[in-house]
Amino acid sequence: MPVLHSAIHKIDKKPDGTPAVLSLGRSEQVESEALDELMSHFNESYNATAGKGWGFFHAESGAHPLSGWLKTYLAGGSDFLTFSVVAVEHLTRLMEESNLTVGGHALFCHYRQGMTDYLVIALVQETEALTMTEELDLMRVRRLDLDHIRLAARINLSEWKNNPASKQYVSYLKSKTGRKAGDYFRDFIGCQEGVDGPGETRTLLKAFSDFVESE
């Protein structure tokens, strides 16, 4: 799973109405085993998380500009860091309007799996963990909490480019703490729901039930 480009920024935002503080990464993340491990762990956690939505981009507009910035980057009109900075600044503005959310590390990663290119955008929180020092003393450390990702989207760039009629090249995590808590993130991605997962499951189950009865 080669990582082609990645950047991480930090948004310090508390759900008490205080202004968000954005700290920008000054460069892309360098290729390393740690970065590969980060994305491997992220994908494992993302794939295992239930409650995803599937959809496609709204038409590019002032309300939904991300797809336009993404097109510019993919066409070579901007580098990845510039794309991520413009995008995270927009995300921060949307977070300012939502008192239901907290900040975190904004992860942007363009990677390739097989013949398919993907873009991941996620807001990753920090959590505390325990480790041992060389003197065998316990010590608390901060780490990225990749086991409990709440806001994330994964865009199949290859499908978006090669199959414009598709309505499921964007997947995103649905909020488990109420729809409004995640609405601003879906607005940031500019995604509209294209596949009714529960509805399709019900249709499949009914078709199976009808088949069993007929047999």
Side-chain angles (χ1 to χ4, degrees), residues 102-146:
V102 295
H105 290 83
L107 167 65
F108 295 79
C109 184
H110 178 187
Y111 68 93
R112 183 169 295 146
Q113 194 159 25
M115 300 294 290
T116 304
D117 277 26
Y118 293 93
L119 175 71
V120 158
I121 304 178
L123 199 63
V124 183
Q125 309 295 324
E126 284 188 338
T127 187
E128 285 193 343
L130 291 174
T131 188
M132 298 292 295
T133 68
E134 292 184 359
E135 291 75 25
L136 300 182
D137 294 320
L138 283 170
M139 180 176 67
R140 288 187 179 275
V141 295
R142 303 286 294 176
R143 68 172 181 85
L144 294 176
D145 189 4
L146 296 172

Side-chain angles (χ1 to χ4, degrees), residues 48-192:
T49 301
K52 294 186 187 71
W54 297 85
F56 58 105
F57 286 132
H58 284 284
E60 181 189 348
S61 66
H64 303 110
L66 183 73
S67 62
W69 297 332
L70 186 52
K71 280 181 183 177
T72 299
Y73 154 65
L74 293 173
S78 70
D79 58 40
F80 188 80
L81 183 64
T82 300
F83 158 70
S84 71
V85 167
V86 173
V88 78
E89 288 175 343
H90 179 54
L91 175 60
T92 304
R93 287 191 292 270
L94 293 178
M95 290 180 72
E96 289 279 14
E97 300 169 5
S98 174
N99 290 331
L100 299 172
T101 186
V102 295
H105 290 83
L107 167 65
F108 295 79
C109 184
H110 178 187
Y111 68 93
R112 183 169 295 146
Q113 194 159 25
M115 300 294 290
T116 304
D117 277 26
Y118 293 93
L119 175 71
V120 158
I121 304 178
L123 199 63
V124 183
Q125 309 295 324
E126 284 188 338
T127 187
E128 285 193 343
L130 291 174
T131 188
M132 298 292 295
T133 68
E134 292 184 359
E135 291 75 25
L136 300 182
D137 294 320
L138 283 170
M139 180 176 67
R140 288 187 179 275
V141 295
R142 303 286 294 176
R143 68 172 181 85
L144 294 176
D145 189 4
L146 296 172
D147 298 318
H148 303 94
I149 301 168
R150 294 183 297 171
L151 297 172
R154 185 165 60 194
I155 302 162
N156 186 324
L157 299 175
S158 298
E159 184 173 352
W160 178 40
K161 177 183 177 181
N162 298 322
N163 184 13
S166 172
K167 294 186 181 297
Q168 52 181 347
Y169 52 78
V170 181
S171 69
Y172 58 92
L173 300 184
K174 291 186 175 182
S175 174
K176 297 178 182 179
T177 58
R179 182 174 177 179
K180 288 185 178 180
D183 274 357
Y184 84 93
F185 190 80
R186 198 171 83 170
D187 287 343
F188 160 67
I189 298 297
C191 176
Q192 54 185 312

Side-chain angles (χ1 to χ4, degrees), residues 16-42:
D16 58 5
T18 56
V21 178
L22 173 61
S23 300
L24 294 173
R26 290 178 289 182
S27 61
E28 288 191 30
Q29 295 292 310
V30 297
E31 185 178 352
S32 65
E33 289 185 10
L35 180 58
D36 290 342
E37 184 178 344
L38 168 69
M39 290 313 302
S40 177
H41 193 166
F42 171 87

